[in-house]
């Protein structure tokens, strides 16, 4: 009976669940292929050493972590049994038989209920290959996982610590390992040693690697913002194995260490990297030619910084709150900014690096490799052909190709080296890479050099892609707000919109439907960040304008009356009984500084504004998902809106009491406002004249572009409704000698003095504010009112 309802919905069920069901089938097929490949690797007794056959070892370890991650994620889908059961039932109802993949798929779902436990059994035969690959990290991982003090003492990433070697190429026997992601290595070690845990009891090196990784992090990223809590999972797995009490104690000790020390260790690393990347970016912007010999430093710096930022992002969400301070970094923007600066240098000076490495490959690498090949005691034909092709490819390179803008492509060469690693790493190989480590190390260096010629953009993505922020948008926005609130960090706020340009690199061609969702998110975040930056700058400018208007207001003629009366009183020696009034501060006193350390409010505002404007002016434009953003335009549009509102606000028109600012006073305030806005051009390359033209021309019409009243309409209303009406009522008359309207003595005193609004200086100020169009509108309105009154008299 219960299933009868499904009978009606079967076609809908098939249609809606097919995508999920066949994704599970894909996972199963992937699992089959992985198992087959791992068995083949065991049969061939492949030699793995990350420092020799880097590509082979890295891809092998990546394959295992991908497989493990996939099975863990699969086990986290709560409805997995319901989905495949429902789909299969609908399939049976429709086609009269189960789907052919269903029995195996159902079995896999049941088997991998606890994925790591199942995989620990599955990996018993593979433990030799896997542990060899992992133990080869003994030189690489501990060297990458050092404290900030050790980095500082080694003067890591510094170009100027040894000036005499500044032009020497940055070399290493293990080039690709230098910028290998620490994050990836920790995943390899933790998942790898869980799967071949037996080696932890017999090999001290393995145990050291395992403990070091457990002390560095509390959780690993499975996929995007999905995390895996290391210590709890490892403890739950080992608790059921006899004789593993020591291992469980290790895990608990490491957990304590991770909780108490990892946060502060990573905080110190970020602090060191901020200064190291700043130095690197500054030296390279001055001497971009150093990007040639020191390219390795750039990619190491990017990779180190990226690892630290990702670590913080992941742990800030998943750590016990008692040590929260270590997981809030108010200076993170600075680190991201220097990363962006290094990325910009690499993109801008790509041809410089190409020239350097084309010469390096043809003049040095080809010669050394040729010698190595000649000295090989045995070299089978296939291997010999591949080696010769490497030498020929490199020898044929020339600087002219770079100058002619030729597009290089060494992907074939790199793929050949990958194949050669596979040929020479199996146990029966006549040319064994294990016996010719120099060849492996030399080739790894050559491969790095080829990437410097044809894959700079891919290298930037590999070492510094921060698209992970797309999936931590709340943390991302919080970091941005903290950055704007801290005056010393606001100059780096442009790093956040620039990060939005990374987002599209986390999309994949096999999942095109995600592009729109991620693209839209990158656009909305970028737009929000730039808008907030412009608003903040606008608010600072408004505060400066308010202060400057107050200062210029002090210079108005009306304020000198007191000073004159004081002077007259002194002359006539009319000493009042009381002690004379305290001396009034004269305008301009605020500019006299007795001490440089005294910081006024205006100083703070100017400092904050110059810092923020540095950020807005940092890039002319940026492209996010095929949309171009221009940060300066955001500021211009905000300034236009605020200037319009301020001019209308400064007229201080009150309809109830019919009060309005004198035209001359408004003109003084507008000029003070314009002077401040003009000074913005010293900070940002924007056209303030355009802002003035747009705003002031609109003010000469009776409504602005938003349909709001302008100063023209406000003054016209006031002169017609207030001044002209009192003239008609006989309370105000024209006085030819003074060329102004004056108040006549009446019983009810008027609330304003007509002379102060209608003498020649006020009329000049008014005509300057309203311009020819505004004055035309005013005079036409006046003439219409007067003519209608004359008509009434008739």
């Amino acid at each position: 009976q219960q299933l009868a309802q499904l009978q009606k919905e079967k076609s809908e069920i098939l249609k809606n669940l097919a995508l999920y069901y066949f994704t599970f089938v894909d996972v199963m097929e992937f699992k089959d292929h992985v198992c087959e490949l791992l068995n083949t690797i065991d049969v061939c007794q492949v030699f793995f050493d990350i420092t020799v056959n880097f590509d082979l070892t890295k891809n092998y370890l990546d394959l295992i972590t991908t497989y493990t991650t996939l099975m863990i994620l699969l086990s986290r889908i709560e409805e997995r049994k319901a989905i495949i059961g429902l789909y299969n039932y609908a399939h049976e109802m429709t086609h009269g038989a189960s789907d052919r993949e269903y029995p195996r798929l159902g079995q896999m779902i049941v088997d991998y209920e606890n994925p790591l436990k199942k995989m620990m059994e599955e990996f018993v035969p593979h433990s030799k290959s896997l542990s060899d690959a992992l133990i080869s990290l003994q030189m690489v991982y501990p060297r990458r996982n050092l404290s900030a003090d050790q980095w500082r003492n080694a003067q890591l990433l510094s170009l100027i610590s040894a000036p005499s070697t500044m032009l020497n190429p940055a070399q290493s026997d293990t080039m690709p390992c230098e910028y290998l992601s620490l994050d990836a290595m920790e995943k390899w070690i933790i998942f790898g040693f869980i799967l071949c845990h037996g080696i932890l009891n017999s090999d001290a090196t393995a145990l050291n690697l395992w403990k070091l990784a457990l002390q560095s992090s509390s959780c690993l990223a499975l996929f995007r913002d999905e995390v895996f809590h290391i210590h709890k999972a490892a403890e739950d797995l080992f608790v059921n194995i006899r004789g593993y009490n020591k291992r469980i104690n290790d895990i608990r000790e490491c957990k304590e260490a991770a909780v108490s020390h990892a946060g502060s260790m990573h905080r110190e690393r970020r602090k060191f990297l901020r200064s190291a990347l700043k130095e690197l970016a500054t030296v390279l912007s001055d001497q971009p030619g150093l990007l040639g010999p020191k390219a390795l430093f750039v990619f190491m710096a990017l990779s180190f910084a990226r690892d630290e930022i990702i670590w913080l992002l992941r742990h800030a969400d998943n750590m016990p709150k008692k040590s929260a301070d270590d997981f809030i970094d108010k200076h993170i923007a600075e680190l991201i900014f220097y990363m962006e600066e290094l990325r910009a240098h690499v993109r801008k000076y790509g041809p410089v690096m190409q020239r350097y490495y084309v010469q390096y490959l043809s003049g040095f690498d080809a010669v050394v490799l040729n010698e190595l090949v000649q000295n090989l005691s045995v070299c089978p034909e296939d291997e010999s052909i591949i080696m010769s092709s490497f030498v020929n490819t490199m020898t044929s390179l020339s600087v002219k190709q770079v100058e002619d803008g030729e597009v290089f492509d060494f992907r074939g060469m790199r793929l050949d080296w990958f194949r050669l690693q596979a040929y020479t790493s199996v146990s029966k190989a006549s040319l064994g890479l294990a016996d010719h480590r120099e060849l492996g190390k030399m080739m790894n260096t050559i491969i790095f050099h080829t990437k410097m010629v044809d894959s700079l953009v891919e290298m930037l993505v590999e070492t510094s892609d921060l698209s992970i922020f797309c999936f931590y948008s709340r943390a991302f926005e919080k970091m941005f707000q903290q950055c704007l609130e801290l005056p010393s960090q606001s100059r780096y706020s442009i790093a956040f919109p620039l990060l939005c340009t990374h987002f599209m690199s986390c999309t994949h061609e096999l999942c095109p439907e995600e592009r729109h969702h991620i693209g839209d998110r990158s656009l909305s975040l970028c737009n929000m960040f730039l808008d907030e930056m412009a608003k903040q700058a606008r608010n600072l400018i408004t505060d400066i304008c308010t202060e400057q208007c107050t200062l210029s207001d002090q210079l108005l003629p009306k304020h000198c009356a007191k000073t004159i009366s004081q002077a007259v009183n002194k002359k006539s020696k009319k000493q009042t009984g009381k002690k004379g009034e305290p001396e009034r501060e004269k305008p301009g006193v605020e500019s006299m500084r007795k001490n440089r350390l005294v910081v006024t409010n205006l100083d703070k505002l100017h400092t904050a504004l110059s810092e923020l404007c540095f950020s807005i002016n940092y890039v002319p434009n940026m492209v996010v998902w095929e949309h171009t953003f221009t940060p300066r335009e955001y500021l211009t549009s905000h300034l236009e809106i605020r200037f319009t509102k301020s001019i209308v606000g400064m007229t201080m028109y009150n309809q109830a009491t019919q009060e309005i600012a004198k035209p001359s006073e408004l003109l003084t305030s507008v000029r003070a406002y314009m002077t401040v806005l003009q000074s913005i051009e010293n900070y940002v390359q924007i056209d303030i004249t355009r802002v003035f033209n747009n705003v002031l021309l609109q003010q000469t019409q009776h409504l602005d572009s938003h349909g709001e009243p302008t100063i023209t309409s406000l003054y016209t209303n006031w002169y017609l409704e207030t001044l002209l009406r009192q003239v008609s009522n006989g309370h105000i008359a024209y006085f030819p000698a003074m060329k102004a309207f004056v108040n006549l003595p009446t019983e009810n005193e008027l609330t304003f003095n007509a002379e102060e609004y209608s003498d020649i200086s006020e009329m000049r100020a008014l005509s300057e504010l309203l311009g020819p169009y505004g004055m035309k509108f005013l005079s036409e309105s006046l003439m219409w009112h007067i003519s209608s009154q004359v008509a009434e008299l008739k």
Side-chain angles (χ1 to χ4, degrees), residues 14 65 149 162 262 279 336 370 511 584 680 743:
L14 278 179
T65 50
D149 287 335
E279 180 195 297
I336 299 171
N370 198 21
C511 189
R584 269 181 80 240
I680 303 302
N743 293 17

Side-chain angles (χ1 to χ4, degrees), residues 50-310:
I50 196 100
T51 60
V52 181
N53 49 8
F54 175 82
D55 301 288
L56 192 64
T57 310
K58 178 183 183 292
N59 281 282
Y60 173 70
L61 291 169
D62 277 344
L63 177 73
I64 286 170
T65 50
T66 305
Y67 174 38
T68 313
T69 304
L70 192 59
M71 300 323 278
I72 294 172
L73 288 173
L74 178 68
S75 71
R76 290 188 179 185
I77 300 169
E78 286 172 11
E79 300 86 10
R80 59 192 184 282
K81 289 180 180 174
I83 290 170
I84 65 167
L86 256 178
Y87 180 86
N88 188 57
Y89 178 77
H91 193 280
E92 262 182 25
M93 290 293 125
T94 313
H95 302 290
S98 289
D99 180 71
R100 63 193 176 87
E101 303 291 356
Y102 176 70
R104 286 179 61 233
L105 188 55
Q107 191 58 50
M108 180 183 83
I109 296 289
V110 173
D111 287 348
Y112 287 85
E113 196 71 42
N114 183 344
L116 284 171
K117 191 172 179 214
K118 169 71 177 162
M119 289 173 73
M120 279 159 74
E121 299 161 12
E122 199 181 291
F123 266 78
V124 172
H126 310 315
S127 59
K128 168 83 173 73
S129 301
L130 179 52
S131 55
D132 284 353
L134 291 171
I135 288 169
S136 73
L137 292 167
Q138 63 181 325
M139 297 303 294
V140 181
Y141 177 66
R143 193 174 67 210
R144 278 281 276 107
N145 197 2
L146 297 173
S147 69
D149 287 335
Q150 288 166 301
W151 280 355
R152 209 169 272 117
N153 295 339
Q155 293 188 306
L156 185 77
L157 302 176
S158 175
L159 296 183
I160 51 181
S161 59
S164 57
T165 62
M166 202 184 263
L167 293 176
N168 298 0
Q171 280 290 24
S172 153
D173 272 350
T174 50
M175 289 288 252
C177 298
E178 302 306 326
Y179 56 86
L180 187 54
S181 160
L182 193 65
D183 213 33
M185 281 195 272
E186 284 179 356
K187 253 189 184 172
W188 294 345
I189 290 169
I190 285 166
F191 285 143
F193 284 129
I194 284 177
L195 297 181
C196 63
H197 52 88
I199 192 81
L200 296 175
N201 301 316
S202 56
D203 192 311
T205 310
L207 190 60
N208 290 339
L209 285 172
W210 165 251
K211 281 184 177 176
L212 189 54
L214 286 178
Q215 286 165 7
S216 304
S217 303
S218 297
C219 56
L220 293 176
L222 284 177
F223 181 67
R224 295 178 176 170
D225 57 346
E226 276 286 326
V227 297
F228 172 78
H229 290 276
I230 304 166
H231 303 97
K232 185 178 183 315
E235 195 176 325
D236 291 349
L237 288 164
F238 286 179
V239 88
N240 300 322
I241 304 174
R242 284 179 61 190
Y244 263 51
N245 290 345
K246 194 153 181 2
R247 297 291 78 82
I248 291 168
N249 289 338
D250 288 343
I251 293 168
R252 286 173 184 162
E253 283 167 23
C254 293
K255 183 180 181 178
E256 282 305 308
V259 170
S260 50
H261 304 306
S264 55
M265 181 180 83
H266 285 273
R267 186 189 64 223
E268 288 303 312
R269 278 194 200 167
R270 291 192 300 275
K271 190 174 163 188
F272 166 78
L273 286 170
R274 280 202 303 276
S275 59
L277 265 71
K278 182 180 183 179
E279 180 195 297
L280 196 57
T282 310
V283 172
L284 291 174
S285 64
D286 185 53
Q287 297 294 336
L290 288 173
L291 275 165
K294 302 298 183 191
L296 181 63
F297 278 17
V298 175
F299 291 108
M300 282 168 67
L302 289 172
S303 179
F304 288 16
R306 192 264 315 265
D307 281 333
E308 292 308 315
I309 291 165
I310 288 178

